[in-house]
Structures are given as structure tokens and as C-alpha cells.
Amino acid sequence: MAENIVIISTTKPNPQQEVAVQHLISKVHEYDQTFRDPYLSNRFNYFSDMPALFLALHGEELIGLLTLYADEDPSGSVDVTLNVVPAWRRQGVAKQLWQAARPVLQQYGYHDAEFLVEKAFLTAAPNFLANTELAADPVSEFQMALKVNSHHERDTDLDVAALQAADIPALLPAYVDAFPDSNKEEANRYLTENLQSHSSCGYVCRYQGKLIGYCAVDFGEYDYLFGLFIAKNYRGQGLGSRFIAQLTQQLAAVRHHSFKLAVESDNPAAHHVYRKANFKDESEIFYLQAEQGLWHLEKL
């Protein structure tokens, strides 16, 4: 067990911590040949005051990071990411981070969590699952990437514009239909959050004047698309890929040319839509669960 490690928790990193976190993530990606960035905000967490980031420090050096993404109420699951710099692995840093985060989850009533890990990491460490007594959910997730290199003519049948407050009531039924695990309260919270945020924005798609779709975009080094859906009656007509193409072209004209998104492996229809929009598979992410229960996980 590594000694002289200090664990601090926060709801949001300060500017100095954010620089250190980005440096740590870059080192981990380079070493592991991975691509998934942890979400460094508690903006969508159900409890806004619950610490979402846990930093492991050795002196002034940041050597480990744990994040909690808890957008569901305590009856749901929490997504956990763990990143430790290569030189400090197998010295108990991950375990110390988890031991700091676990009581916080208990305090807020959570009893279920999943650890995110990429296929490249598991391939390089074939004994990881057996050693940690973690098991992978059969449904994985593909992270996909797109780089817009050229300008295409505007799709005159589609109008893509920033979400307005007046759009939300009309979007709620289609949102809940697209994401059956959600409800109108949760959908309204997501849509309103993107309406009010400075770091992300929601966009709506109208086809021949009718509101048919939505997509949120998280702004950063690249733009991350999430929460995308097309209303049920308009699916299967190629409108999803056209919406994505129009949205990314509009964003590329004023922001970045690089985009990412994620799609679950059991959603081949959406995967096909994104491929039609020229997104390429970049990484496969697995969700790991403790076979002996969340609170008895001691072998990280």
C-alpha cells in the first residue's frame, strides 16, 4: 500500500487541479492506448452537493483520479471511473480512492455502482477481472469519433437551432419514449440544465417545420454529442443521420471540427445511424460490477 497519499474530494476542480487532471488523463491514455475521458463535473448528478471527483496526491503530484457520475436517484446506479498514472499502479492508489468514495455513496443512499474500463485496457491486462472479482455487463458501449473536414450543402428540409424554453414541453413525450428508463421529471431536468448551461447546449431539429429531434452537445477540446433522439414517427427515414450531419456542420463552422459520442452495443439501429453520419468506432467501454457486492470490493 502506497504511503503518504492524500485523498481530497470536490464537486468541481479548481483551475490548478483541472490542469493536473488533464495531464494525468493524457498520460493514462498514452500508456493504455485508451480514448474515453472521465466526466469532470457533477452538473447532471442527482445531488448537486455530492462530491464527484476524488484526487490522490503524493506531495503536490496528482497520481490518481476517481469520478462519480450519479445522474439517477439512489435507486439507480453510479458510473465510476478510476485513473492512476502508470508509475503508481499496483500500489493501492485505486483502492484508497475507492475507500474514500464509498462512504460518500453510502451517505447519499447509493447501493449500486459500475466501473468503466476500455477494451484496450482489459486486453493488455487479461487477469484484471479475475484479480478484482469484477464482472463485465454483457452490454458494452462504443465511443465513436468524427472529424469534419469539408463543408456540405445545407439540408434545406431540416432546421437545426439551439433549444428554447418553449420547446421543452413538446420534447418531453418524445424524450421519455426514446429513453424508457427516464421519466418526465428527469427529462425536464436534463433539458432545462442544457438550456441554462454555459458549457453545453441543447439543439432541436425541425423537419418541414415540425419538431422531430433533439441532441445535447458538451463543449470542450472536442464537442461531445449525447441525449440524441428522433421522435418515433420519424425514425427509419434517414433523418437521424441528416440531423447529425447538419448539426456537426453548423458547429464546425464556429467551433471545433472534432466530435465524439457513445452508443450501446445492443442498439445496432443507432450505431448504424451514426456510421451513416461518418462517425467511426474509436473504443469499446465495458461496465464492470462487483460479483460479491459493491461495499465488499477490496481488490482494486
Side-chain angles (χ1 to χ4, degrees), residues 258-297:
S258 297
F259 303 89
K260 296 188 180 186
L261 54 78
V263 58
E264 293 183 340
S265 62
D266 65 347
N267 191 353
H271 203 175
H272 175 70
V273 168
Y274 301 143
R275 284 174 170 163
K276 282 186 63 179
N278 295 318
F279 276 82
K280 308 295 183 185
D281 290 348
E282 183 179 61
S283 179
E284 188 173 7
I285 295 94
F286 292 92
Y287 289 76
L288 311 181
Q289 299 173 329
E291 295 178 331
Q292 301 301 321
L294 177 61
W295 312 122
H296 302 287
L297 183 62

Side-chain angles (χ1 to χ4, degrees), residues 117 121-122 125-134 288 299-300:
V117 63
F121 176 85
L122 292 179
N127 296 322
F128 178 80
L129 295 181
N131 291 341
T132 57
E133 297 181 0
L134 291 168
L288 311 181
K299 296 187 178 183
L300 286 173

Side-chain angles (χ1 to χ4, degrees), residues 232-245:
K232 185 176 182 178
N233 292 341
Y234 292 90
R235 296 173 195 163
Q237 304 175 43
L239 292 170
S241 56
R242 289 167 62 185
F243 175 24
I244 296 169

Side-chain angles (χ1 to χ4, degrees), residues 108 183 208 239:
Y108 285 86
N183 53 52
Q208 298 179 344
L239 292 170

Side-chain angles (χ1 to χ4, degrees), residues 10-53:
T10 180
T11 56
K12 182 180 180 180
N14 62 39
Q16 183 179 359
Q17 292 169 339
E18 191 165 347
V19 170
V21 164
Q22 293 297 344
H23 182 61
L24 180 149
I25 293 169
S26 295
K27 287 198 293 186
V28 169
H29 282 335
E30 182 179 5
Y31 183 85
D32 292 330
Q33 295 298 294
T34 51
F35 297 91
R36 179 64 169 260
D37 293 331
Y39 192 60
L40 303 176
S41 171
N42 71 339
R43 192 159 56 87
F44 292 109
N45 281 3
Y46 190 81
F47 297 105
S48 61
D49 62 334
M50 187 180 82
L53 286 83

